[in-house]
Amino acid sequence: MDILASLAHGFSVAITPTNLALAVFGCFIGTIIGALPGIGPVNGVAILVPLAFALQLDPTSVLILMSCIYYGCTYGGRIASIMLNIPGDASSIMATLDGHPMAKAGKASEALAISAVASFIGATVATVGLTLFAPILAGAAIYFGPSDYFALYVLAFAMIGGVTGANPCKTLLAAFLGLMIGTVGLDPSTGVERFTFGSFNLFDGFDPIVAIVGLFAISEVMIYLETAHKSDGVMVPMGRAIPRFRDMLPGWGAAVRGSFIGFLSGILPGAGASQGAFMAYVAEKRLSNRDGTFGKGDPRGLAAPEAGDNAAAGGALIPMLTLGIPGSGTTAVMLALLISLNVQPGPLLFERQPDMVWGLIASLYIANVVLLAMNIPLVGMFTRMLAMPQWILMPFIVMVSFLGVYSISHSTFDLLVMTGFGVFGFLMRKLDISLVPIVLGMLLGADMENNLRRTLSISNGDFGILIESPIAQGLYAVTAIALLASLAFAFTGRRKARAEPDRETGDA
């Protein structure tokens, strides 16, 4: 009853005219920013931080505005992924695998509607979890040590082959390329330069956002330039402009499952939405891909990562509010903003500033409804993007990509890096090597290395510490099961492939 009373008080704070207007505005502007390739929630929130100071809002209103922008950016990231095969940010990569094939098959409105509903389910599950289990789950997450996080990343890389369904050797090669690219910069322990070739611009390594925009957006333009003379102006089929209610239902079970996986990933500091979307997709593919439809436009392959993405985004608020530890890059920006406003998140925040905490939680419920109500009617507008001639659309993509990357760092060097990654991505796609494992290697590799170094520094170089923790042992057990399952599926697939020609020969 105390929780319900606190939540009711939170709604009284959230529905004040100022806070309600800020929530709606944050959802709207966040969706627009999230749809732009290369911006994403982290940069979207960071770009709009000066706005919060310019409006001279109280800390509660600032937190409500930034959180709704955060949710809006997470929603908006799916638009470019589905429509253009260009992720708005790292966590939207998984939406390209089945979302874009649906759009190419004339089901763009259905894909956007399924994504919106799945995002609503994921965000709602996360908000309910934030309401009920924040102290409990945050207490569990604090027991994860460096060796446990390293085991978690080992599990992620063991399951990476389940993302694309491509040639396992090529998938493994792509993951190693991503890990190698992620080592560029200064050694985190010794400060020694690694693969910088004496360039000061590479001391911080490659910005993942810059790499993602280059790998997907620029390579997409290059693929178009290569094949433009073969297309003869054939347009992608439009399909329905406005989805029907029954079009939104496929994948709801996958969305529910992905929500819980993403939420559990989000509450682990540092795992972030990318890990939540990735784990949700892999788990759903293992569970449901009996017909081999994942990667070809399966609604479940879109619903699961979208729900996992949004659930992880909400779950990342838990360690920030209850422990003062950012659960993702975006919550790190929000944490810095709160500290600058003389608000110290932590275990006492719920007692000392209940108006802020419960007002935020109530506003997240409102934001979920606003985003769903806002995005479903706009599906028709988004689907019309496909009606734009490619010779107009592709220069627009280049313009947005260059402006988005330049707005992050105001560095011309990053523009050159983005172009270089575009050429690299084009070559990988010509060799039929998936870009997703490359990006995942870049995103997870640095944290994996840092946790390994912390673990070994604690044990003075004794590798036995990696398997001492019960949590790590459980994660390694799951890793072993996943690898054995992958081998079993691969063996079964080869047997079926051999049996089909034999059956056809017998029939003849």
Side-chain angles (χ1 to χ4, degrees), residues 115-310:
S115 174
V117 172
S119 298
F120 173 77
I121 293 173
T124 302
V125 167
T127 309
V128 172
L130 177 62
T131 305
L132 300 177
F133 307 116
I136 300 173
L137 292 175
I142 201 173
Y143 288 107
F144 268 65
S147 61
D148 303 319
Y149 279 110
F150 179 78
L152 179 65
Y153 291 124
V154 170
L155 172 62
F157 279 104
M159 300 177 70
I160 205 170
V163 176
T164 62
N167 185 311
C169 294
K170 289 184 176 181
T171 302
L172 187 62
L173 173 63
F176 275 117
L177 287 173
L179 288 171
M180 290 171 62
I181 294 171
T183 61
V184 174
L186 297 180
D187 186 289
S189 298
T190 63
V192 175
E193 299 176 30
R194 300 189 301 192
F195 311 112
T196 62
F197 301 100
S199 173
F200 176 78
N201 294 295
L202 292 178
F203 279 14
D204 290 330
F206 293 113
D207 188 326
I209 297 297
V210 175
I212 288 168
V213 174
L215 286 171
F216 287 89
I218 303 303
S219 69
E220 187 75 19
V221 173
M222 297 178 72
I223 291 289
Y224 167 74
L225 292 175
E226 183 192 29
T227 59
H229 66 283
K230 302 177 184 178
S231 62
D232 296 327
V234 177
M235 299 296 296
V236 175
M238 281 293 296
R240 298 178 61 89
I242 301 296
R244 297 165 296 190
F245 178 75
R246 66 184 183 187
D247 295 331
M248 307 178 197
L249 296 180
W252 70 270
V256 172
R257 290 186 289 270
S259 297
F260 286 100
I261 294 173
F263 180 61
L264 293 174
S265 174
I267 64 173
L268 299 176
S274 303
Q275 181 86 334
F278 166 60
M279 299 294 285
Y281 183 87
V282 172
E284 188 62 31
K285 186 175 181 181
R286 296 291 189 201
L287 179 66
S288 306
N289 190 30
R290 297 184 180 89
D291 301 324
T293 55
F294 274 55
K296 300 176 183 178
D298 192 312
R300 296 167 297 181
L302 174 62
E306 284 296 278
D309 179 4
N310 285 268

Side-chain angles (χ1 to χ4, degrees), residues 2 7 37 64-65 73 80 95 100 106 108 117 242 282 289 332-333 345 351 390 436 453 458 479 488:
D2 290 340
L7 188 59
I64 289 174
L65 174 62
C73 287
H100 188 61
V117 172
I242 301 296
V282 172
N289 190 30
V333 176
E351 296 180 9
Q390 294 289 303
V436 175
R453 286 178 175 272
I458 293 172
T479 301

Side-chain angles (χ1 to χ4, degrees), residues 443-466:
L443 292 173
L444 304 181
D447 287 334
M448 186 177 184
E449 178 188 4
N450 289 334
N451 282 290
L452 175 62
R453 286 178 175 272
R454 292 191 193 106
T455 303
L456 294 179
S457 65
I458 293 172
S459 65
N460 292 322
D462 182 8
F463 282 89
I465 193 175
L466 293 173

